Amino acid sequence: MKKIFVLLTVALFAVGAAFAQTSTEDAANPPVDISTQVRQIEDVYADFHPTAKSVSIDLEYTPLTGEVILNYTCMAASFDQGEAMNTVDAVLEEFGIENQFTRKPTFVRKDRIRYYKDGRDIRMATYRRCVRYDVR
């Protein structure tokens, strides 16, 4: 009877120690955020695009991979690719400073321009840039 009691006690301590080790390992390694963050950027870059009308800037950031997709959208009649590029560069530079990235981003894909009509039959243009920051 004493042998069974001793074996059960040892087994109970062994199971308790195993769970205690996994919980301390979890505390040392917090979970990694793998979700994509979508941000609407306030248009404070009017100096970079003086002729563009109805500008909206969206930024999609994935912290796990460091990938950023930036969409610059405005009316097609007032779209200028140079202004769009300058605005996107300024937004990415501010984003890098805000997130303390020390290096410039690398391009993932070629920049893309897309023309379409929105729900009110207004022609719009979207300039898209995909870059990746080095996240070590």
Side-chain angles (χ1 to χ4, degrees), residues 113-131:
I113 300 171
R114 187 182 124 212
Y115 294 94
Y116 64 96
K117 285 189 178 181
D118 67 354
R120 300 172 298 177
D121 282 344
I122 297 174
R123 290 189 43 81
M124 302 294 280
T126 298
Y127 181 83
R128 171 180 270 196
R129 178 173 290 173
C130 300
V131 296

Side-chain angles (χ1 to χ4, degrees), residues 67-70 106-109 111 128-132:
E67 188 168 305
V68 175
I69 300 173
L70 197 125
T106 57
F107 289 88
V108 176
R109 289 183 284 261
D111 293 352
R128 171 180 270 196
R129 178 173 290 173
C130 300
V131 296
R132 180 174 294 134

Side-chain angles (χ1 to χ4, degrees), residues 8-29:
L8 287 175
T9 307
V10 171
L12 181 64
F13 281 118
V15 170
F19 281 117
Q21 288 176 353
T22 57
S23 66
T24 56
E25 288 173 3
D26 291 341
N29 299 326

